[in-house]
Amino acid sequence: MAYSWHRYLPLFGPILLAVLAGSFNLIPFWFLGSSEFLLGQLFVLLCLLLFGLRSALFACAISAAFIFYRWGHCWPSIVFFGEVFWLYYFCTCRAKRLFFIGVTYWLLIGIPVLAVIGMFIIKLPFLEVATALVKYFLNAAIVLSVIDLVSFFFIRQSWHQNSLSLFNILNNIVSLLVILVVLIITITLTNSHYSRVEYEVKSQLLDKAEDIAVKIDFYLDHYRRGVVLTAKAIEHGVPEEAALNTLMSQYPNLRSSIVSDNNAIVRVFNPISLKESLNNDAPSIADRDYYVFGKDKPDGFISNIFKGRGLGDVPIVGVSAPIVKNGVFQGVVEGSLVFGSLLQFRPHFFDKEGELIVLDASKQVVFSTLEKNYPILSQLTGLEVEQFNGNERAIMEQTIDGEQYYVQLEKSPVQGWYVATLFKRRFANLVAVGAGLESLLLAIAIIILISVFITQLCKWLVRPIHELTWQIDEFDPKSDAVSLPNNANSWLEVYNLQQQFNSMAAKLKSNFNQLEQVNTQNNILNQQLKNFNVELEFQVNEKTDELLNAVTVANKANQAKSQFLANMSHEIRTPLNGIIGLTDILLSDKTQQDEAHSHLKMIQQSANNLLIILNDILDFSKIEAGALKLDVQSVNVHQLIGRLSEVFKDTGLKQGVRFNSIMQENVPQTLLLDELRLSQVINNLLSNAGKFTTAGEINLQVHYSGSKLHITITDTGIGISPVQQTQLFKEFTQADISTTRNYGGTGLGLAICKRIIALMGGQLLLESEVGKGSCFSFEIPAKQTQASSEVLIKQGIPDLANFSVLLVEDNAINQLVIAKMLEVTGCQLTIANDGEHALQCLENLQPDLILMDCQMPKMDGFQCTARIRENSPKYGDVIIIAITANAFEDDKNKCINVGMNDFIAKPVDREQLYKCLVNWLGN
């Protein structure tokens, strides 16, 4: 795994650093609110140190792509590429530190190139270019100092390729840390000051806008009341000319005033020059808002701004009120208001003038100090007015003549007029830049001053170490006199170290003499040890040869044992097949007398007991060899326990003993288990309980919890003493000699059960008391699963009248047994005595199925099957079922591998034979 990680690091490392570089360039680290730091170069230079030039150029290109995505251009990346080449040639190739060489690059190349790009290519204002240059220099200084610190503490490439003194290391590290801290603090303070300036501008703009909005409402309302009072005076009989003269004298910002009749014809003008400018006509004002809406507004009406007629046609706001005498409308009084006096509300900050724009309720410009861009009477759209709201920093998104503005928009609460106050962002930046330059100059002075003190501090710290080094170099433990000077002016730790060294020098002198004596003795002991090793090596080789011979003998013995068991199994199963098969056939004959039938049952039971003993011996042999494997499948637990209980009640229960099978409701229908081995364990435990219980009861209890199957078998038999329990689970061991004599058995059953349960992941437990009975219990892991669709049905005698079967068997008894079993099926049976005879029969016969014995004279079943499969065009694709007394798993696999279709072990069970025939030939 470690090898794979190092293998793929050069591939994925640069990609990761490149993505980090680009991502950091997207993070807005602002400087003076208008320029962003590009700290992604930190990861580009880290890539240069770790993976080399090509990887760094790749990371720089990815970083440039991210800058282009954010800004729409990536001109600064030209300088970043140059920095990579510069640092690679002057630093990484020569194992030099990056900071001072990198700063030199930015002063000589980077800053001038960026200045040219900003002034002549991007064409930014001078202030923005200057701010950006300071930002790029600070950005480079921070990145270079961080890279040098990271290189020292983690990479150590440039620091340790050349031997550096402690003085240089301390001086450089502390200086870099101070530079980094001072620069960060300076940037933070500068940005903080800029934020305060920006906040002050925004607050004052907003206060000014709110104040002007309130004053405009008051201003308009003041003139509205004056016009209303004039209309009231005329209603009460004051002459119209006198009323207008009074209005004009008391409200000086009214450019003119008029009185119209009820048909909207002007009949009185003030000043009279207004009438003269209209060529002495009596104009109609029926199209004017102040007439259309004002005649229905007894409290007065204020129109939006419009271009007046006469007296220069200047923009005016019409303020009107209706004249109503005795409930009859007589006309309107109107005063034309001009807004030149709003210039007094123009905002001022930092000795600089701001801008003011006033819009009426219909978003027409009423007053503007930016008349070039927002002329009076111009109609603004909703989007244009929305620009005056600015962004979250109150900066107007749209520039005016290339200038960015801080802006605040306020709507008057009464008349719904808009007041926008603006201030050039450049003025605020100048204030912030001035403070920033002061901070930067102060930071440079602090860095220079601290560097001087750091240099002196490092010299003071290192000087005692140099002196101690000299003392150690001059020390000779072989000299008779040991005298080292003490420098009490050293710092405490070094002074203590000198004292310790003096003490150590004296001890070294003493120990050096002892060491020479010990070396002499050591040489003698080494020679003795060498002689001993030679002798020991000879003995080890001798014992190794003996062990190898013993292992060889043991392996041969084990092979002999395995061969013996296989031969024993074959030789015993062959006669057992005859005994069990013939007794089974005779028992199926209903004409037998009761006594003969009973004797045959005894013979069959004895043969089955012998088969059980044989199987126990074979299972124990497999367990000892570690060859016993579990076949875990979906098992219907309820059917399995029911079947075992029925068999035990019929065959294993003594007269007068009760048997209870208790299945808890929480036991699932189907579990994942090895059905054969679980049946073997339960059968063995039930058999022992039935064997040793002559009165009382036997209980089989099954329950399920925690994904485990719990089985308990209790009896009221003879019980087992504590001493006997210690020997009970050992192979070939029973409670005592009398047990074997009275009850039989090999002593393998419980040993096999314990090993099988352990293989299943459980443990067999015993609780017993002499004279009261025993309780065997175990629990095994068993996961729930879906119910199997298979249903166990007792196989009857199949009808094989239309099929031919070839039996290949050399033993006459086995021929008789199997022939008798097949006789009732109605099949056409042909018998061959060996493999050669079988091939001769196949020359003239095409059977549907072959029952093939494996061990036969002349040609065995394996050779015969191989010949049939090799000549399938001649012999056909016939079904071959192995019938053999070799019951090991290896024997079954050998049969399948040679080409046989299925396997039946001897002694042949008639039901098993029928099931196999039905399975391959169909019912």
Side-chain angles (χ1 to χ4, degrees):
M1 181 63 70
Y3 171 76
S4 299
W5 183 81
H6 287 293
R7 177 182 178 185
Y8 292 108
L9 181 62
L11 174 62
F12 293 104
I15 296 175
L16 176 62
L17 291 175
V19 173
L20 287 174
S23 301
F24 263 70
N25 285 338
L26 295 181
I27 300 176
F29 296 110
W30 292 100
F31 178 66
L32 293 179
S34 59
S35 188
E36 299 175 65
F37 285 103
L38 298 176
L39 298 180
Q41 190 70 358
L42 172 68
F43 298 97
V44 174
L45 298 185
L46 189 61
C47 193
L48 176 65
L49 293 182
L50 292 175
F51 304 108
L53 178 62
R54 286 187 294 180
S55 297
L57 293 176
F58 166 75
C60 195
I62 297 298
S63 173
F66 278 76
I67 295 174
F68 184 85
Y69 167 77
R70 183 172 180 83
W71 291 354
H73 70 83
C74 55
W75 290 110
S77 298
I78 297 174
V79 180
F80 290 145
F81 275 105
E83 182 184 24
V84 171
F85 282 108
W86 177 279
L87 294 178
Y88 173 75
Y89 181 76
F90 289 103
C91 295
T92 57
C93 292
R94 305 182 185 187
K96 300 292 185 181
R97 292 175 299 282
L98 276 65
F99 182 79
F100 294 104
I101 297 175
V103 169
T104 303
Y105 165 81
W106 279 94
L107 291 174
L108 297 179
I109 300 174
I111 297 300
V113 171
L114 287 173
V116 172
I117 292 173
M119 294 293 293
F120 300 104
I121 297 178
I122 305 179
K123 297 181 179 180
L124 296 174
F126 174 78
L127 180 61
E128 290 190 24
V129 172
T131 303
L133 293 180
V134 173
K135 179 262 297 187
Y136 280 116
F137 183 76
L138 294 176
N139 187 97
I142 292 174
V143 168
L144 291 169
S145 59
V146 171
I147 285 294
D148 263 352
L149 290 172
V150 170
S151 173
F152 174 77
F153 288 106
F154 301 102
I155 303 175
R156 304 189 178 185
Q157 179 179 359
S158 60
W159 292 81
H160 295 278
Q161 285 188 2
N162 297 324
S163 299
L164 294 176
S165 64
L166 178 61
F167 169 76
N168 289 332
I169 292 176
L170 286 175
N171 193 16
N172 287 322
I173 291 299
V174 177
S175 297
L176 287 173
L177 287 172
V178 169
I179 291 172
L180 183 61
V181 171
V182 171
L183 289 179
I184 292 175
I185 292 175
T186 301
I187 293 170
T188 303
L189 292 177
T190 302
N191 282 338
S192 177
H193 179 74
Y194 179 80
S195 298
R196 289 196 301 272
V197 171
E198 192 174 66
Y199 175 77
E200 183 178 349
V201 171
K202 291 189 294 185
S203 298
Q204 292 192 28
L205 284 176
L206 182 59
D207 292 343
K208 200 70 173 178
E210 291 175 348
D211 180 60
I212 294 172
V214 172
K215 288 180 177 179
I216 284 176
D217 275 346
F218 177 78
Y219 181 72
L220 293 174
D221 189 63
H222 174 63
Y223 280 88
R224 179 191 61 78
R225 289 197 302 270
V227 172
V228 171
L229 289 175
T230 301
K232 295 297 183 183
I234 294 173
E235 289 175 0
H236 288 86
V238 177
E240 295 175 347
E241 290 83 357
L244 292 183
N245 288 331
T246 303
L247 175 65
M248 295 293 289
S249 62
Q250 292 182 354
Y251 297 91
N253 286 325
L254 288 175
R255 186 174 181 83
S256 64
S257 58
I258 60 172
V259 176
S260 75
D261 59 17
N262 57 358
N263 293 318
I265 303 300
V266 180
R267 62 171 178 256
V268 181
F269 297 87
N270 191 314
I272 196 63
S273 56
L274 174 61
K275 182 177 182 182
E276 294 173 354
S277 66
L278 297 173
N279 299 322
N280 293 317
D281 289 336
S284 172
I285 59 172
D287 60 333
R288 297 298 195 184
D289 289 346
Y290 62 76
Y291 178 82
V292 175
F293 300 105
K295 64 183 181 179
D296 298 322
K297 301 286 186 180
D299 293 330
F301 173 76
I302 300 172
S303 73
N304 294 321
I305 193 167
F306 60 93
K307 186 176 182 180
R309 290 179 291 198
L311 298 180
D313 298 337
V314 297
I316 58 174
V317 173
V319 183
S320 64
I323 302 172
V324 180
K325 294 180 180 181
N326 299 322
V328 178
F329 173 69
Q330 300 294 323
V332 297
V333 177
E334 183 268 341
S336 298
L337 180 62
V338 295
F339 281 87
S341 59
L342 290 179
L343 190 62
Q344 61 181 316
F345 299 124
R346 188 173 187 176
H348 292 78
F349 310 105
F350 311 117
D351 299 328
K352 303 290 184 181
E353 286 187 336
E355 308 295 343
L356 175 63
I357 299 174
V358 179
L359 309 177
D360 62 18
S362 66
K363 301 183 178 62
Q364 286 189 97
V365 177
V366 176
F367 177 82
S368 173
T369 58
L370 295 170
E371 194 165 354
K372 176 183 176 182
N373 305 95
Y374 298 96
I376 296 175
L377 290 181
S378 59
Q379 178 71 49
L380 301 187
T381 64
L383 183 61
E384 289 174 325
V385 174
E386 185 65 25
Q387 287 286 333
F388 293 131
N389 283 318
N391 56 20
E392 67 276 2
R393 295 171 58 195
I395 297 174
M396 193 172 177
E397 297 290 347
Q398 180 180 349
T399 60
I400 302 175
D401 292 335
E403 292 276 5
Q404 278 192 316
Y405 282 84
Y406 290 103
V407 63
Q408 292 287 4
L409 182 66
E410 186 67 22
K411 190 175 182 180
S412 66
V414 178
Q415 298 299 328
W417 284 29
Y418 299 89
V419 178
T421 52
L422 300 92
F423 189 73
K424 289 183 179 179
R425 191 180 179 197
R426 172 165 54 90
F427 295 155
N429 288 347
L430 284 173
V431 175
V433 167
L437 287 176
E438 294 177 2
S439 300
L440 185 60
L441 292 175
L442 180 61
I444 294 173
I446 292 173
I447 290 173
I448 294 173
L449 184 62
I450 292 179
S451 298
V452 173
F453 286 115
I454 289 173
T455 302
Q456 295 303 316
L457 175 64
C458 292
K459 288 181 179 179
W460 181 76
L461 290 174
V462 172
R463 186 183 300 112
I465 298 176
H466 284 314
E467 293 176 357
L468 181 61
T469 303
W470 177 83
Q471 294 173 7
I472 294 173
D473 290 338
E474 294 296 321
F475 171 68
D476 183 8
K478 294 183 179 180
S479 62
D480 295 332
V482 178
S483 177
L484 294 173
N486 293 327
N487 188 357
N489 293 325
S490 302
W491 35 288
L492 180 61
E493 287 79 5
V494 173
Y495 178 76
N496 291 336
L497 186 61
Q498 288 176 331
Q499 294 296 321
Q500 294 294 328
F501 183 77
N502 288 338
S503 175
M504 183 186 67
K507 293 179 181 179
L508 279 175
K509 180 61 180 178
S510 173
N511 293 335
F512 196 84
N513 295 329
Q514 297 178 6
L515 181 62
E516 289 185 346
Q517 298 176 1
V518 171
N519 284 338
T520 302
Q521 296 177 0
N522 194 35
N523 291 333
I524 297 173
L525 292 175
N526 284 338
Q527 186 60 41
Q528 294 176 353
L529 181 61
K530 183 178 180 180
N531 296 334
F532 175 76
N533 286 338
V534 172
E535 182 179 358
L536 180 62
E537 183 179 2
F538 174 77
Q539 293 179 359
V540 168
N541 291 335
E542 186 178 12
K543 293 297 182 182
T544 301
D545 293 338
E546 292 178 1
L547 288 174
L548 291 175
N549 292 333
V551 170
T552 302
V553 171
N555 288 335
K556 290 181 179 179
N558 190 45
Q559 293 175 357
K561 183 189 76 171
S562 299
Q563 186 62 41
F564 168 75
L565 289 175
N567 292 336
M568 180 192 70
S569 173
H570 182 272
E571 295 305 323
I572 294 177
R573 285 175 185 273
T574 299
L576 275 179
N577 185 55
I579 296 171
I580 293 175
L582 289 174
T583 53
D584 187 48
I585 293 170
L586 292 172
L587 285 172
S588 64
D589 186 1
K590 303 301 182 181
T591 62
Q592 295 286 341
Q593 296 179 1
D594 291 343
E595 183 178 2
H597 191 274
S598 176
H599 290 165
L600 287 172
K601 287 289 286 184
M602 291 180 184
I603 294 172
Q604 188 183 49
Q605 184 63 41
S606 298
N608 285 329
N609 289 339
L610 182 59
L611 183 60
I612 291 172
I613 293 172
L614 177 61
N615 289 334
D616 283 347
I617 294 173
L618 294 179
D619 284 342
F620 187 76
S621 175
K622 290 180 183 178
I623 293 173
E624 277 195 327
L628 186 64
K629 305 296 182 182
L630 296 179
D631 181 18
V632 178
Q633 295 180 357
S634 177
V635 177
N636 190 317
V637 180
H638 292 258
Q639 289 185 2
L640 174 64
I641 299 299
R643 189 166 63 251
L644 294 176
S645 299
E646 289 298 323
V647 172
F648 177 66
K649 284 194 292 187
D650 292 341
T651 61
L653 201 62
K654 293 183 178 179
Q655 188 173 3
V657 178
R658 297 186 304 278
F659 175 68
N660 301 311
S661 179
I662 304 169
M663 177 78 69
Q664 297 291 339
E665 294 181 356
N666 65 345
V667 178
Q669 189 72 21
T670 54
L671 296 173
L672 288 175
L673 295 166
D674 186 331
E675 181 178 7
L676 175 63
R677 297 304 173 185
L678 181 60
S679 301
Q680 183 178 353
V681 171
I682 297 175
N683 270 331
N684 198 302
L685 296 177
L686 286 175
S687 177
N688 287 343
K691 187 187 301 182
F692 298 108
T693 303
T694 58
E697 65 180 8
I698 298 173
N699 295 319
L700 169 61
Q701 296 178 319
V702 183
H703 71 280
Y704 184 82
S705 64
S707 297
K708 290 185 177 182
L709 182 66
H710 303 261
I711 295 179
T712 304
I713 298 173
T714 58
D715 63 62
T716 56
I718 62 176
I720 306 170
S721 68
V723 175
Q724 293 171 336
Q725 291 180 31
T726 60
Q727 304 294 321
L728 190 63
F729 293 104
K730 294 182 179 180
E731 56 271 14
F732 304 108
T733 302
Q734 292 187 331
D736 53 33
I737 300 300
S738 64
T739 301
T740 305
R741 183 171 60 252
N742 294 333
Y743 300 100
T746 61
L748 284 176
L750 289 177
I752 292 173
C753 288
K754 184 176 181 181
R755 300 278 186 97
I756 290 176
I757 292 172
L759 188 61
M760 291 180 174
Q763 183 180 7
L764 181 60
L765 302 177
L766 167 63
E767 294 180 5
S768 183
E769 187 176 348
V770 176
K772 292 187 177 181
S774 303
C775 174
F776 287 87
S777 64
F778 64 89
E779 62 178 21
I780 55 174
K783 295 182 179 180
Q784 297 188 45
T785 183
Q786 297 294 328
S788 174
S789 59
E790 296 182 2
V791 180
L792 294 177
I793 301 175
K794 184 174 180 63
Q795 179 63 51
I797 300 174
D799 182 8
L800 303 178
N802 297 323
F803 297 96
S804 63
V805 178
L806 174 62
L807 173 63
V808 185
E809 171 64 62
D810 63 318
N811 187 284
I813 297 175
N814 290 339
Q815 290 178 0
L816 176 62
V817 169
I818 296 173
K820 285 292 185 180
M821 290 181 178
L822 294 177
E823 182 178 357
V824 294
T825 66
C827 68
Q828 301 175 11
L829 180 64
T830 303
I831 299 176
N833 296 322
D834 53 45
E836 289 184 356
H837 189 192
L839 294 177
Q840 293 174 4
C841 293
L842 289 175
E843 295 286 342
N844 303 314
L845 178 67
Q846 290 186 347
D848 298 295
L849 184 141
I850 299 176
L851 298 174
M852 181 75 73
D853 187 21
C854 292
Q855 291 188 2
M856 295 180 292
K858 295 184 180 179
M859 180 184 291
D860 59 26
F862 300 113
Q863 295 172 326
C864 182
T865 301
R867 290 280 293 276
I868 293 172
R869 295 307 184 206
E870 290 172 359
N871 297 277
S872 57
K874 178 178 180 181
Y875 299 115
D877 192 14
V878 64
I879 299 169
I880 303 177
I881 307 298
I883 298 182
T884 177
N886 295 326
F888 285 97
E889 187 69 22
D890 292 341
D891 299 319
K892 180 178 180 180
N893 293 335
K894 184 177 180 181
C895 294
I896 300 300
N897 292 335
V898 82
M900 299 183 187
N901 300 95
D902 211 339
F903 178 94
I904 298 176
K906 294 178 182 177
V908 177
D909 180 74
R910 179 166 53 175
E911 184 175 348
Q912 182 185 10
L913 175 62
Y914 291 162
K915 283 184 178 180
C916 186
L917 293 175
V918 170
N919 182 45
W920 289 102
L921 296 180
N923 191 356

